[in-house]
Amino acid sequence: MKKILAVMFVALIMTVAVIPAVDADNPYQVTVRWSDTTIWHATVVCEYEATFDEQNIWAYAVGGDTPMINFLSNYRTASPPVSQITQFKEGEYYEIYYISGYQIPWFVSIVNGPYQVLGPYTYDFYVNEKSQMTITLDEILTKNVRYIGIYDVIGLEKEHFTSLGVGTSATLGYAGEGHYYSITSTYKQDYLYIEAKVTMNVKTFTGSPGLYIGLSTAVVVLVGVTMFICGRKPKL
């Protein structure tokens, strides 16, 4: 019995000694934004006087669409634009913006357009080789959205999919050369954009992360077996 314990003790010490070093946790919170929709723009003339105010359609006087232009210039961080026209006058011209799935008002005629001014986009990030990231969904800032999706992407192909609800986490490793991770919706949404707060915690290994995980598991097993043997009663 003493010989067994001695051998296991030496094995335990040797295992701990070769575990590669790992950087201390460095969690940080970020606000991520993405969009599943396309924004279109058209210049129109009003055929019939009317009142109109609908979500996801923005109207401005010609030359007065600075709020939307500013948003399009900084769409990943800018506040949502505000529509400035609700009362349309016959014979006057307007700038109309709208997202896919919506139509311009029936009482106007298109003079120029429509043409695309912004397409769908995701929030992308990488996990470097010899690194591991734990990502936790802290809060979804967009109403009626309950989950986010994380895809492993290479080129134009989505390889794997992970779904997160608020309070849940996923651990992501280096996916291979050319791969990156992409945050988007679990199903198509018709919002101007969707936002969520996530905490990212990156660990960087000086050796192999696979070796680190394997040897850490071995340590746990050795400790457990040693405690079991030490807990046995000696034979009389």
Side-chain angles (χ1 to χ4, degrees):
M1 179 64 71
K2 290 183 178 179
K3 289 182 178 180
I4 294 175
L5 289 176
V7 170
M8 294 185 66
F9 179 74
V10 171
L12 178 60
I13 296 300
M14 292 178 65
T15 302
V16 173
V18 298
I19 290 180
V22 56
D23 289 352
D25 292 357
N26 183 29
Y28 57 95
Q29 188 182 69
V30 295
T31 298
V32 298
R33 177 186 291 187
W34 67 93
S35 176
D36 299 323
T37 63
T38 298
I39 300 179
W40 300 88
H41 171 221
T43 302
V44 302
V45 60
C46 180
E47 301 286 356
Y48 307 96
E49 186 168 330
T51 299
F52 183 84
D53 185 12
E54 185 170 337
Q55 184 180 11
N56 294 331
I57 298 178
W58 298 265
Y60 305 90
V62 172
D65 53 349
T66 301
M68 179 59 80
I69 292 173
N70 289 341
F71 171 79
L72 294 173
S73 299
N74 301 280
Y75 61 89
R76 288 193 179 273
T77 57
S79 299
V82 177
S83 182
Q84 294 186 342
I85 300 293
T86 57
Q87 186 67 39
F88 291 78
K89 297 181 180 180
E90 183 178 344
E92 295 197 2
Y93 290 78
Y94 301 92
E95 307 290 354
I96 300 289
Y97 295 82
Y98 60 97
I99 69 172
S100 296
Y102 290 77
Q103 301 294 327
I104 61 174
W106 61 270
F107 50 83
V108 301
S109 296
I110 295 176
V111 176
N112 185 22
Y115 51 89
Q116 180 179 323
V117 291
L118 183 64
Y121 55 93
T122 56
Y123 184 92
D124 302 331
F125 62 95
Y126 293 85
V127 176
N128 295 326
E129 191 173 4
K130 296 185 178 181
S131 294
Q132 184 182 80
M133 174 185 289
T134 299
I135 180 169
T136 303
L137 176 57
D138 300 319
E139 182 182 3
I140 297 179
L141 302 176
T142 305
K143 291 182 179 179
N144 301 321
V145 179
R146 299 181 61 187
Y147 301 94
I148 69 171
I150 304 176
Y151 289 89
D152 169 14
V153 184
I154 179 169
L156 300 177
E157 298 295 325
K158 295 179 178 180
E159 299 286 326
H160 303 289
F161 167 73
T162 301
S163 179
L164 290 183
V166 174
T168 61
S169 303
T171 299
L172 310 172
Y174 175 64
E177 185 177 354
H179 288 252
Y180 64 92
Y181 291 100
S182 178
I183 296 179
T184 184
S185 304
T186 57
Y187 54 91
K188 191 169 179 61
Q189 308 280 353
D190 62 351
Y191 298 103
L192 178 63
Y193 59 77
I194 303 171
E195 280 189 327
K197 288 185 178 182
V198 300
T199 294
M200 296 180 171
N201 190 9
V202 179
K203 294 180 179 179
T204 301
F205 304 89
T206 57
S208 166
L211 178 63
Y212 173 81
I213 295 170
L215 292 178
S216 297
T217 303
V219 169
V220 173
V221 172
L222 282 172
V223 170
V225 172
T226 303
M227 292 177 66
F228 170 76
I229 293 176
C230 290
R232 294 178 59 185
K233 294 182 180 179
K235 294 182 180 180
L236 299 175

